[in-house]
Amino acid sequence: MHPYYASGWDRNKVYSYFGFDKMFFKNDFNNPETIRQYISDAATYDKIIELYENKGDSPMFVFDVTMQNHSGYKGEVQNNFAPLVTVTDGKVSTGLSEYLSLVRISDLAFGDLVEYFKEADEPTVILMFGDHQPKLEEEFYSYVTGNTRDQWDLTQQRNQYKTPLLIWHNYVADSENIGDISLNYLAPFLLQDTGLNMSDYQHYILGQYEELPVINSIGIVDVNGNVYVRGSEEFTERTREMQTLVYAHTVEKVW
């Protein structure tokens, strides 16, 4: 589910390669709520609930890539959106109030989704994560970090790739803070969390998570908190096997 154009990033082709049975794009929503120029998060959650209530006895998996909070942020009142959050320090960012207001609206919609599935009869798990941080003005990042982007140290560079995640269950489960985890590990981590079957490849990836919980374009962080930047000998050595297997798995090569 992606409430925008089907052709963006070739989603209408890529999602079928992933094995999804159905795809829902912008034109599949009937008179949805919009915020700014985008279909709201709440509208996609309503669509999920509609699908759930009409799915019958089969289990259901939905991958929902929302659009409500997409950039850009102009800081302007629009006919279907008025900021709920106001940043009083005008030096920070003209778009920050708009972005934080959108996050607040998302939070309220997500709360409604959770409240609905609290009452669902079937065991239900919701994984919410951000695919990237917002694009705000360079002056904002300089203000909050004390440096321009080209002066950021390694920690500040790594922080720009962090987004929150949450795994919620409608059944009793232990609560824990799992710390930092890279996106490539989320699928097998979720399967392990729910007790569902995993392939040998997914078991392998989960094993790598236990050794190298963070991998991104800056480098890797091992289980002891040591950081190795991309291009270093340690980075190359510790990721060589994984790179080979991920590539082979992705393009279905036999080695």
Side-chain angles (χ1 to χ4, degrees), residues 159-216:
N159 283 343
Q160 69 180 319
Y161 293 94
K162 285 188 176 184
T163 62
L165 71 91
L166 169 72
I167 299 177
W168 175 85
H169 315 77
N170 71 342
Y171 51 86
V172 176
D174 292 335
S175 178
E176 64 173 318
N177 183 344
I178 65 172
D180 293 341
I181 182 173
S182 292
L183 180 59
N184 57 303
Y185 297 126
L186 276 187
F189 187 90
L190 184 63
L191 291 173
Q192 176 182 256
D193 175 74
T194 53
L196 297 174
N197 293 330
M198 285 188 283
S199 66
D200 291 341
Y201 173 77
Q202 289 167 330
H203 277 292
Y204 168 79
I205 292 296
L206 201 58
Q208 292 300 299
Y209 160 68
E210 294 172 357
E211 295 293 327
L212 302 173
V214 175
I215 301 178
N216 59 31

Side-chain angles (χ1 to χ4, degrees), residues 67-103:
M67 277 298 292
Q68 174 189 296
N69 300 348
H70 198 283
S71 61
Y73 313 107
K74 302 176 182 179
E76 300 173 353
V77 175
Q78 301 178 41
N79 60 356
N80 61 356
F81 169 75
L84 302 178
V85 178
T86 301
V87 179
T88 57
D89 189 342
K91 296 182 297 182
V92 174
S93 167
T94 56
L96 185 58
S97 293
E98 180 173 334
Y99 172 70
L100 294 177
S101 297
L102 292 167
V103 170

Side-chain angles (χ1 to χ4, degrees), residues 44-60:
T44 72
Y45 299 158
D46 288 343
K47 188 75 168 178
I48 290 172
I49 292 171
E50 175 189 329
L51 294 171
Y52 174 78
E53 292 181 343
N54 291 281
K55 72 179 184 61
D57 296 330
S58 299
M60 184 177 80

Side-chain angles (χ1 to χ4, degrees), residues 33 35 39-49 66 68 105-106 108-110 112:
E33 175 191 44
I35 296 177
I39 293 176
S40 70
D41 288 2
T44 72
Y45 299 158
D46 288 343
K47 188 75 168 178
I48 290 172
I49 292 171
T66 61
Q68 174 189 296
I105 295 170
S106 291
L108 295 171
F110 186 72
D112 290 340

